[in-house]
Amino acid sequence: MLRLPRFQYHAPRSLTGALELASRHANEFMYIAGGTDLLPNMKHLLFEPPHLISLRGLRELDFIEVQGGGGIRIGALTTLTRIAESDLARRELPSLAQAAGLVAGPQIRNMGTLGGNVCLDTRCVYYNQTLFWRKALGYCLKKDGSQCHVVQSGKRCVAAHSADTVPALITLGAAVELQSPRGAREIRLEDFFSGDGVKNTVREADEIITAVRIPPQPRGRRANYTKVRIRNSIDFPILSIALAVDFREDGRTCDNVELVMTALGSKPRRIGNLHGVVEGRALTAEVIQAVAHQAHRQAHPLTNINVDPEWRREVAPVYVRRALERAVRAG
Amino acid sequence: MSKKLNEMPVSNPNKGRTFKVVGRQPRKPEGLKKVSGEALYTDDIVLPRMLHAKILRSIHAHARIRKIDASKALALPGVHAVVTGNDMPIAYGIIPWTQDEYPLCTDKTRFVGDGVAAVAAVDEDTANRALELIEVEYEVLPAVLSPEQAREHPEIKVNEKAKDGNLSKHVFLEFGDMEGGFARADVVDEDHFYFENTTHAPIEPHCAIGQYDRNGVLTVWSSTQVPHYLHRELARVLNLPQNRVRVIQPLVGGAFGGKSEPFDLEFCVAKLAMITGRPVKILYTREEVFYSHRGRHPMEMTYRTGATKDGKLTAIDAKITFDGGAYSSFGLVTAYYSGQLLTAPYQMPAYRFDSSRWFTNKPACGPKRGHGSVQPRFAFEVQLDKIAHRLNLDPIELRRRNFIGEYTETINGLRITSNGFLECLDAVEKASGWKERRGKLPFGKGLGVAGSMYISGTNYPIYPNEMPQSAVLVRLDRSGRAVIFCGASEIGQGVNAMLANILCEELGTALADVQVVSSDTDLTPIDLGAYSSRVTFMCGNACIDAARKLRKQILEACAEKLQTSPEDLDILPGEVVCLKDTAKRLSTPEAFQLAEAKSGSLAATGSFKTNPLGGDYRGGTIGASPAYSFTAHVAEVTVDPGAGFVTVDRIWIAHDCGKAINPILVEGQMEGSAYMGCAEAIMEAQTYNSKGMHIGPSLLDYRIPTSLDTPEMQSLIIESIDPEGPYGAKEAGEGPLHPSIPAVANAIFDAVGVRLTRLPFTPAVVLKALREKEERERRAAPAAAGGQ
Amino acid sequence: MKVVCTLRVNGEPHEIAIPPHWTLLEALRYELGLTGSKQGCDKGDCGACTVIVDGRPELSCLTLALGAEGRDVRTVEGLATPQGLHPLQDCFDLNGAAQCGFCTPGILMSAAALLEHNPSPTREEIKQALAGNLCRCTGYTKILDAVEQAAARLREARP
Ligand SMILES: Cc1cc2nc3c(=O)[nH]c(=O)nc-3n(C[C@H](O)[C@H](O)[C@H](O)COP(=O)(O)OP(=O)(O)OC[C@H]3O[C@@H](n4cnc5c(N)ncnc54)[C@H](O)[C@@H]3O)c2cc1C
Ligand code: SF4
Ligand code: FES
Ligand code: FES
């Protein structure tokens, strides 16, 4: 059996307790929530923190609530199952509920949390492997080595951002709330990712994500989430597409399209240059084609995921088109 | 053909029999243990003072071992022993003529993951830490990673056992008039096919425990499917007399051929137990399961097939090149099976095959469910579909026209007895609505058919000997309880249930009163193992043999008591009844007691041995089996033409298993087989990078289907009642896998008009084929206006 | 260094001494002798180790034993009562849904949790609920049949 490395375990009951422990064990610890990303990585000896601080006991971070202005806040310790099954999320944030419900398999969704999903380590065929395997390979930039096997001459790790909920949250304009021994801050989720596969978020090691805040959504917005994977369960995305389309009162004319794709490089990619294509138009076949074309131009799958990147690039516009058509039909 | 071989049975004693239990009892003796969590598998066993061991594996695909220094590891507190290749320098291998593996590499490592040293320590953590402390000095050698490289670089010798460069085995056999066959063909098709490497992936990782006692007896518990061969090899390699070795096989959590030869862990736990005097356990990590492999050989195949206008085959010419990996495993047999097992259910007037297995620096391939014949069957059944299409014949009709018949002999000398293939075709044709639906479904949806045959056991044991291939001991208690002792391996296929049903049928015992003690070389009589679909046929016959001896004793004793003759008595569940006067009855315990009083303690053995069979030429006995099973599938698929995804919606599986002793379990084998084939068709692939490393040795990266990826399946049991099988039974565990892959391929053609010849049919492959077809059509459009 | 870990398994309290890096699966199998839960993949990929924690199926190979303190853990050994088997167990046996039986304990726990939340699942819902449990033997058909049959029996038993 693959064994975990040794560590000391702490189970604080409150946020303050957790932050105190973080100060005490500075630079020597990691937080653990559901553990469904961290523990496999630790079994692969990618992380060997001397201390684990569990966030499970922080019941105050397990909630889905409507805020005064109509926005929705979701506690970082809320499980993916709870989000996927929540009536509120399904009604108000359908793309997020869909994304949460498509992560891994049922057991992992029962364990995995939203905070953990937002912080999911980047993934790569040359990285998510045992120590033995990586040693046989000669290691890589992201861990213990000096070379990237995906972009041979690359100076930067391009391991794939692979979290399902994140692209959906970005299209919805979400922000993360962080708390550290030094105080609290809030960052737009879009700005949370650095694009460096080795450490792909700007979160400081001792910062705890307490909640994800989703602002009130424009009326007339239709959002959906598409996850492409080889197997229909227990599979990370090999391409994922979050879409939010804002329609005017007439339900036909489009104001804006938010399109975020992931499972490409180290951060989710927002497909740009769409505003000019869609604003004030109905989503006709030509307009849809134009959006799909932008996705094709801007999305560049890599060999960090072991499914033919050329095929993934080729089908990206196909799935974008289908997502847009679904949004049109949902009217 | 020599006279002695292939004698046809003169009568069929199994025809027309009625049964009281057989065919009606769905449960199995160990069933409730399995659903309650009480069933014990090897890793569930914990012995007092047990140590845990780990194996250090090669990080190079090919390297000479210059030096191993284990002193630091040995000095680590908690470490009890370290062994290396030099401690066990005797080669082993499942096939006596090609023994080329060592428990741990002695001179060279031959693939990434090959075992180099093993450490026994107080716990796994300590053993792991010790592995890190072992210093191995390697001289890295150039590696050979494909059959082409193996052929082109004979100077890089992967395996010293190879006589000629890196060629592991070459078989060339020709039957009938090839030239004449092609000359009289109206159509000849030649195609190239590729079957990707796939593996068994049983959910239970391999595990073994060794114990060496004060009497000098070595006991090894192992999740093996061949305890007997393991017994022999342990004795040979460890230099122990065979009578000082005992092998116990607890329940096995899936095997599929992946546990059908000895592995490094079994020798290592044994040796380490002998050195330390304490029990030692090794449990593979999932990664190690992938390195132990022995899965499906990747094969490049060229088939040339001729047929007349009315679809009759005239000649078949096959050339097959396969990647064997670093060791021989069953490779000699695989090389034969790749050709020998194609010769039914269709009549072949002329047939030739030329198969070569090559050594490469990768984990060894071996026998996966449908050993050696699944790949050729895929190629051939796709080609048949193509020919049917060319001749504008219904593919089912084409198959019917070529039916070889029953009680006949194939062109390569295999004796065919019962053969329900036509009934299989009828059944899937009807159930799938073939006539009404094929070719009429909307673009993107399609139906495909394929057929196959498979062996019910190899006619000859792996090492030549005159003793039984299978034996059973039945002991009856005066309480009415019965115990069946049998060496057969329960690996989930249901052998315990099969044996118990036979006993219940013959002796009237209730299932709950039967215990099956299986696969313990001290307690149970021989069975050669759960491979080649041999168990039902061979153990089943052995069990009938034993049960009938007891039945005779029981009936004689009861006849005496009831003052009638044994012929007038029958055994029903729970009682013995006089047919002439049904008031005369005795309960099963009473009957047993009378028999015991009359003839002494009740026990009987039964055994089974095959008669000589096969073709009278070198290799002609490989592929010979006492009976053959036949299968036909229809698959229904949906192809997403935009992205290339293939969804297999449904598979209708008709299988001639001879007689279903336990229909639920037979259906389970049919469905499990079809599922596994379907998985090979659409998603499974075990591939290696340029360093010879497995690209994803985990159940996340090696994707096997979940409940959401598996088609709905309908099992249609066909009972041809074999004259020599137990009550007419043949096999059901491997045959039903074969047609699922070509049936899916043929259904994809029906759905979207592309012929896929390279596995697996991933969305990328499918989409590429669709784009190429569009391109072809675009080019041809002006010329073929009004064409198809 | 071992620490004391207090677990509640199948309704019974247990106090064990284990190293902190042990998973719940290891604690169950090698410390409490509850070997019904199986280990198939090491790291969350197969579902063989599924147990019910606070009413939901979770993976014991990705749960720290210490992380399960204060929670209600149920394993396959707790499925049957002294009165008899859980209908799921009987239906699995009757339908041949356990071939090698190695995936069975995990699948039973996923199925049991499903039926507790949804007494009348459709076949599709059953497939969804079992989509985190790999079975290599059955092709799932008989498992789905068994769950459907058990659901029907449970509904009859408590209308
Ligand atoms: C077989 C398998 C399949 C999977 N498939 C998918 C998939 O399809 N899609 C997908 O998105 N994910 C998948 N995952 C990954 C994982 O299950 C999910 O991403 C899950 O949401 C992670 O949440 P967690 O609570 O378990 O995170 P943990 O493992 O507990 O933590 C992950 C990381 O986040 C940090 N962290 C967690 N919570 C916080 C917090 N509140 N504040 C600060 N840091 C925090 C941890 O320190 C750690 O570095 C899969 C995992 C497995 C094992
Ligand atoms: S992208 Fe390159 S550096 Fe990053 S994990 Fe993969 S191989 Fe390593
Ligand atoms: S052992 Fe495979 S998921 Fe836990
Ligand atoms: S019954 Fe063997 S893995 Fe499911």
Side-chain angles (χ1 to χ4, degrees):
Chain A
M1 178 181 312
L2 270 187
R3 316 273 319 158
L4 284 168
R6 283 163 192 274
F7 52 80
Q8 282 184 40
Y9 180 79
H10 310 272
R13 291 307 185 86
S14 66
L15 189 57
T16 26
L19 293 172
E20 259 172 47
L21 281 160
S23 305
R24 188 165 343 132
H25 301 292
N27 303 324
E28 296 232 295
F29 79 93
M30 288 180 83
Y31 293 120
I32 176 168
T36 60
D37 178 42
L38 186 61
L39 293 181
N41 287 348
M42 286 176 65
K43 286 187 176 186
H44 283 162
L45 300 181
L46 295 168
F47 300 107
E48 297 176 67
H51 297 269
L52 277 188
I53 301 178
S54 171
L55 304 178
R56 283 216 86 112
L58 279 51
R59 299 322 308 166
E60 70 250 51
L61 300 186
D62 178 2
F63 60 83
I64 306 181
E65 65 181 26
V66 182
Q67 287 188 294
I72 292 174
R73 262 180 96 233
I74 305 179
L77 266 287
T78 310
T79 64
L80 299 168
T81 298
R82 182 160 171 210
I83 296 170
E85 290 179 354
S86 145
D87 289 333
L88 180 67
R90 288 157 70 123
R91 194 174 60 240
E92 304 296 329
L93 311 168
S95 61
L96 175 65
Q98 285 160 17
L102 289 169
V103 170
Q107 299 95 319
I108 287 177
R109 291 194 296 273
N110 289 337
M111 307 165 73
T113 64
L114 183 63
N117 196 243
V118 166
C119 294
L120 178 74
D121 192 13
T122 51
R123 299 186 60 83
C124 176
V125 283
Y126 299 104
Y127 171 73
N128 296 100
Q129 302 280 2
T130 61
L131 179 64
F132 167 79
W133 196 97
R134 289 181 290 116
K135 194 190 227 170
L137 178 77
Y139 305 106
C140 80
L141 258 185
K142 183 160 158 81
K143 175 78 182 154
D144 302 330
S146 55
Q147 198 202 338
C148 173
H149 306 273
V150 173
V151 182
Q152 299 285 344
S153 55
K155 295 269 171 308
R156 224 153 87 147
C157 167
V158 291
H161 176 269
S162 307
D164 277 303
T165 64
V166 169
L169 285 167
I170 292 178
T171 58
L172 304 178
V176 285
E177 298 174 9
L178 295 149
Q179 184 94 43
S180 75
R182 294 171 304 287
R185 63 170 174 153
E186 187 180 298
I187 311 179
R188 275 179 25 164
L189 189 56
E190 191 164 6
D191 303 329
F192 185 66
F193 298 98
S194 65
D196 177 354
V198 176
K199 183 185 175 304
N200 84 323
T201 75
V202 300
R203 184 180 70 85
E204 308 268 343
D206 59 358
E207 279 184 304
I208 294 177
I209 297 185
T210 49
V212 174
R213 202 176 52 70
I214 300 123
Q217 297 295 300
R219 290 186 52 153
R221 169 165 282 195
R222 294 176 210 157
N224 62 39
Y225 181 72
T226 306
K227 174 172 183 169
V228 184
R229 51 182 166 178
I230 295 297
R231 189 160 64 169
N232 285 310
S233 179
I234 328 183
D235 221 355
F236 281 93
I238 54 175
L239 186 70
S240 87
I241 297 161
L243 177 74
V245 187
D246 294 328
F247 288 96
R248 291 185 186 159
E249 295 261 322
D250 65 3
R252 285 189 59 247
T253 317
C254 183
D255 255 340
N256 182 31
V257 166
E258 300 275 340
L259 184 57
V260 175
M261 298 175 59
T262 202
L264 305 166
S266 291
K267 76 195 250 188
R269 177 171 276 275
R270 171 187 290 279
I271 305 300
N273 301 331
L274 297 183
H275 205 69
V277 179
V278 299
E279 195 191 7
R281 308 235 184 120
L283 292 183
T284 59
E286 293 89 302
V287 174
I288 288 177
Q289 189 54 40
V291 176
H293 179 66
Q294 286 299 334
H296 183 64
R297 278 191 45 192
Q298 296 175 43
H300 297 284
L302 300 168
T303 54
N304 49 12
I305 293 174
N306 221 330
V307 176
D308 189 351
E310 277 173 33
W311 169 78
R312 281 155 61 216
R313 176 137 193 248
E314 193 178 345
V315 297
V318 176
Y319 284 104
V320 167
R321 194 181 318 127
R322 289 177 186 175
L324 285 160
E325 285 164 1
R326 255 202 292 160
V328 171
R329 278 199 308 273
Chain B
M1 215 95 329
S2 98
K3 288 253 162 47
K4 263 180 65 207
L5 295 176
N6 295 355
E7 270 175 52
M8 286 293 167
V10 282
S11 67
N12 190 344
N14 293 321
K15 270 260 157 75
R17 278 200 60 162
T18 56
F19 297 96
K20 289 127 199 155
V21 178
V22 162
R24 300 168 183 217
Q25 185 163 258
R27 295 186 194 263
K28 43 190 181 189
E30 79 290 2
L32 295 179
K33 287 207 174 100
K34 282 180 174 165
V35 297
S36 60
E38 287 162 25
L40 287 184
Y41 301 80
T42 307
D43 187 46
D44 298 335
I45 297 168
V46 175
L47 300 178
R49 300 175 70 236
M50 190 166 78
L51 300 173
H52 296 265
K54 282 274 166 196
I55 297 175
L56 181 70
R57 298 188 177 278
S58 169
I59 54 171
H60 303 293
H62 198 188
R64 193 167 303 286
I65 301 172
R66 283 240 192 83
K67 204 175 120 203
I68 302 180
D69 181 355
S71 51
K72 287 191 190 127
L74 274 167
L76 187 74
V79 170
H80 285 249
V82 177
V83 287
T84 64
N86 293 334
D87 295 303
M88 294 177 274
I90 298 176
Y92 71 91
I94 186 77
I95 305 288
W97 300 277
T98 59
Q99 299 189 319
D100 58 358
E101 287 186 73
Y102 296 88
L104 295 166
C105 296
T106 49
D107 55 341
K108 277 190 359 180
T109 67
R110 294 181 179 81
F111 66 92
V112 175
D114 219 354
V116 172
V119 179
V122 283
D123 55 30
E124 276 189 280
D125 286 336
T126 310
N128 276 330
R129 230 167 301 139
L131 289 189
E132 292 294 306
L133 297 174
I134 298 178
E135 288 162 14
V136 186
E137 206 181 298
Y138 290 109
E139 174 194 340
V140 179
L141 303 170
V144 158
L145 297 176
S146 68
E148 296 70 54
Q149 288 176 8
R151 189 172 41 226
E152 282 160 20
H153 294 285
E155 77 285 0
I156 308 175
K157 195 98 177 165
V158 175
N159 186 318
E160 286 63 28
K161 190 85 187 173
K163 289 193 200 88
D164 173 10
N166 288 308
L167 187 62
S168 154
K169 179 73 193 171
H170 177 231
V171 179
F172 177 86
L173 287 171
E174 182 170 329
F175 310 94
D177 173 11
M178 291 296 291
E179 265 180 45
F182 281 116
R184 85 191 155 81
D186 297 309
V187 291
V188 176
D189 241 73
E190 178 165 336
D191 297 288
H192 189 76
F193 298 90
Y194 177 65
F195 202 111
E196 183 57 281
N197 192 348
T198 66
T199 198
H200 321 79
I203 306 299
E204 179 201 28
H206 304 49
C207 184
I209 303 170
Q211 186 183 40
Y212 190 62
D213 71 17
R214 298 281 163 213
N215 297 323
V217 174
L218 171 74
T219 304
V220 170
W221 289 258
S222 176
S223 57
T224 179
Q225 55 190 116
V226 285
H228 173 66
Y229 294 126
L230 178 58
H231 181 185
R232 288 170 54 87
E233 293 302 278
L234 281 170
R236 222 169 46 75
V237 171
L238 300 171
N239 251 320
L240 291 168
Q242 273 188 36
N243 52 9
R244 289 292 158 79
V245 178
R246 174 182 183 188
V247 173
I248 302 174
Q249 176 235 303
L251 287 172
V252 170
F256 317 109
K259 297 171 179 169
S260 58
E261 53 198 294
F263 288 97
D264 55 11
L265 80 168
E266 291 149 333
F267 299 103
C268 288
V269 294
K271 187 74 187 176
L272 289 166
M274 290 169 71
I275 293 173
T276 60
R278 290 173 63 166
V280 178
K281 180 192 272 186
I282 293 183
L283 168 64
Y284 272 174
T285 61
R286 178 50 62 178
E287 184 180 18
E288 290 177 291
V289 177
F290 281 97
Y291 297 149
S292 69
H293 190 40
R294 318 289 150 149
R296 194 85 73 211
H297 285 81
M299 288 188 188
E300 294 281 359
M301 302 172 280
T302 303
Y303 275 79
R304 200 157 73 90
T305 297
T308 62
K309 275 199 297 291
D310 52 0
K312 291 280 213 134
L313 297 170
T314 61
I316 295 97
D317 189 6
K319 189 161 169 52
I320 309 178
T321 305
F322 46 116
D323 185 343
Y327 295 104
S328 289
S329 178
F330 280 85
L332 181 154
V333 178
T334 322
Y336 276 103
Y337 278 7
S338 70
Q340 290 289 64
L341 299 186
L342 197 70
T343 52
Y346 315 115
Q347 184 79 51
M348 293 186 169
Y351 175 51
R352 172 165 74 199
F353 72 93
D354 180 342
S355 289
S356 315
R357 181 182 194 264
W358 296 87
F359 286 124
T360 59
N361 290 110
K362 294 192 280 192
C365 297
K368 179 178 166 188
R369 206 172 198 173
H371 181 191
S373 65
V374 167
Q375 305 95 318
R377 184 58 67 181
F378 153 65
F380 186 61
E381 293 284 331
V382 170
Q383 195 162 59
L384 283 184
D385 207 66
K386 246 186 109 182
I387 292 171
H389 195 75
R390 254 180 93 173
L391 296 173
N392 213 2
L393 279 174
D394 180 326
I396 292 187
E397 181 53 29
L398 176 107
R399 286 171 170 82
R400 281 197 186 106
R401 285 186 191 179
N402 286 291
F403 180 54
I404 193 168
E406 51 177 3
Y407 300 96
T408 180
E409 199 171 289
T410 65
I411 187 153
N412 56 338
L414 308 181
R415 184 198 69 160
I416 305 285
T417 52
S418 59
N419 183 345
F421 183 60
L422 285 184
E423 290 83 345
C424 291
L425 283 176
D426 292 347
V428 291
E429 180 181 57
K430 184 151 173 275
S432 65
W434 177 265
K435 284 201 181 121
E436 307 79 59
R437 298 169 67 224
R438 185 189 68 103
K440 296 175 194 126
L441 297 171
F443 183 77
K445 285 202 172 281
L447 292 176
V449 70
S452 69
M453 75 128 186
Y454 200 63
I455 51 176
S456 294
T458 51
N459 209 63
Y460 300 89
I462 287 177
Y463 65 98
N465 72 81
E466 293 300 313
M467 293 173 282
Q469 285 132 311
S470 196
V472 166
L473 162 68
V474 177
R475 199 187 70 71
L476 303 182
D477 188 71
R478 55 181 76 167
S479 64
R481 246 181 112 63
V483 187
I484 303 172
F485 298 85
C486 177
S489 298
E490 175 58 62
I491 58 173
Q493 84 282 43
V495 50
N496 288 358
M498 183 271 298
L499 294 170
N501 272 1
I502 289 175
L503 198 78
C504 295
E505 178 71 36
E506 295 289 337
L507 302 185
T509 43
L511 185 68
D513 294 336
V514 179
Q515 196 201 151
V516 182
V517 174
S518 64
S519 13
D520 176 330
T521 58
D522 263 15
L523 300 183
T524 61
I526 188 76
D527 178 71
L528 294 181
Y531 63 94
S532 297
S533 282
R534 51 179 296 290
V535 165
T536 294
F537 201 97
M538 301 195 185
C539 297
N541 272 325
C543 189
I544 290 181
D545 185 25
R548 295 241 169 108
K549 289 176 186 164
L550 291 164
R551 185 180 166 98
K552 186 160 175 283
Q553 290 181 18
I554 292 164
L555 289 179
E556 277 169 9
C558 292
E560 239 176 71
K561 170 82 178 175
L562 299 174
Q563 294 176 336
T564 170
S565 76
E567 295 76 58
D568 292 337
L569 295 179
D570 194 12
I571 298 185
L572 302 180
E575 56 187 354
V576 178
V577 183
C578 176
L579 296 170
K580 290 204 166 137
D581 176 0
T582 51
K584 288 187 175 171
R585 287 166 182 268
L586 291 163
S587 72
T588 302
E590 281 172 325
F592 286 11
Q593 286 162 18
L594 290 167
E596 192 178 337
K598 185 169 151 63
S599 38
S601 184
L602 294 177
T605 59
S607 52
F608 178 82
K609 210 180 127 196
T610 49
N611 294 318
L613 285 175
D616 194 10
Y617 54 89
R618 189 182 158 87
T621 54
I622 306 186
S625 172
Y628 295 86
S629 75
F630 297 91
T631 315
H633 284 191
V634 167
E636 181 169 348
V637 304
T638 304
V639 180
D640 170 353
F645 274 97
V646 174
T647 309
V648 183
D649 300 313
R650 215 176 171 87
I651 302 186
W652 291 269
I653 316 153
H655 179 70
D656 166 21
C657 65
K659 167 79 194 168
I661 293 176
N662 182 328
I664 289 275
L665 299 193
V666 170
E667 286 175 13
Q669 288 304 302
M670 292 162 67
E671 289 156 11
S673 290
Y675 143 91
M676 203 173 256
C678 180
E680 293 182 86
I682 61 172
M683 67 170 66
E684 290 184 24
Q686 167 143 317
T687 48
Y688 301 85
N689 68 15
S690 59
K691 295 191 162 187
M693 299 168 62
H694 190 305
I695 61 165
S698 73
L699 288 177
L700 184 62
D701 293 323
Y702 184 85
R703 298 177 178 91
I704 65 176
T706 70
S707 53
L708 296 174
D709 307 290
T710 304
E712 288 289 330
M713 291 179 276
Q714 189 179 346
S715 300
L716 306 154
I717 295 176
I718 305 296
E719 298 186 324
S720 62
I721 311 294
D722 190 75
E724 295 172 354
Y727 306 129
K730 304 187 280 190
E731 75 90 37
E734 302 188 76
L737 189 150
H738 293 72
S740 37
I741 303 162
V744 168
N746 296 338
I748 293 172
F749 177 75
D750 189 43
V752 292
V754 297
R755 280 279 171 218
L756 298 177
T757 53
R758 298 185 78 78
L759 285 164
F761 310 141
T762 61
V765 166
V766 176
L767 191 64
K768 184 152 173 281
L770 280 165
R771 294 281 145 93
E772 284 166 3
K773 177 183 164 239
E774 281 163 20
E775 188 55 39
R776 273 198 309 277
E777 284 172 355
R778 208 174 7 254
R779 287 221 201 94
Q788 44 160 278
Chain C
M1 189 105 62
K2 287 188 174 179
V3 294
V4 172
C5 173
T6 315
L7 293 174
R8 190 180 160 76
V9 183
N10 300 327
E12 278 176 50
H14 295 273
E15 201 167 84
I16 54 176
I18 50 157
H21 68 290
W22 272 36
T23 60
L24 175 60
L25 180 63
E26 289 162 278
L28 293 171
R29 286 179 55 75
Y30 306 125
E31 198 57 43
L32 297 179
L34 295 170
T35 53
S37 304
K38 299 300 182 209
Q39 192 270 128
C41 73
D42 304 310
K43 59 177 193 70
D45 305 335
C46 77
C49 63
T50 304
V51 297
I52 298 180
V53 183
D54 291 341
R56 296 269 191 182
E58 297 194 0
L59 300 176
S60 59
C61 75
L62 291 188
T63 303
L64 296 175
L66 289 171
E69 285 196 312
R71 309 180 72 198
D72 182 50
V73 178
R74 281 155 62 205
T75 69
V76 69
E77 288 90 348
L79 216 47
T81 61
Q83 284 73 47
L85 292 173
H86 189 288
L88 274 168
Q89 292 174 303
D90 192 48
C91 293
F92 265 58
D93 186 38
L94 198 57
N95 287 277
Q99 284 187 21
C100 79
F102 204 77
C103 69
T104 308
I107 292 194
L108 284 168
M109 298 321 278
S110 286
L114 168 72
L115 298 188
E116 281 162 20
H117 290 105
N118 178 359
S120 312
T122 62
R123 203 163 169 94
E124 185 55 32
E125 284 170 335
I126 300 171
K127 284 187 190 175
Q128 290 285 351
L130 302 184
N133 294 84
L134 297 175
C135 172
R136 194 58 163 164
C137 296
T138 61
Y140 303 102
T141 305
K142 299 261 178 277
I143 293 175
L144 303 176
D145 294 348
V147 177
E148 280 178 340
Q149 197 183 75
R153 271 202 214 169
L154 275 165
R155 284 195 303 270
E156 275 164 34
R158 29 184 143 89

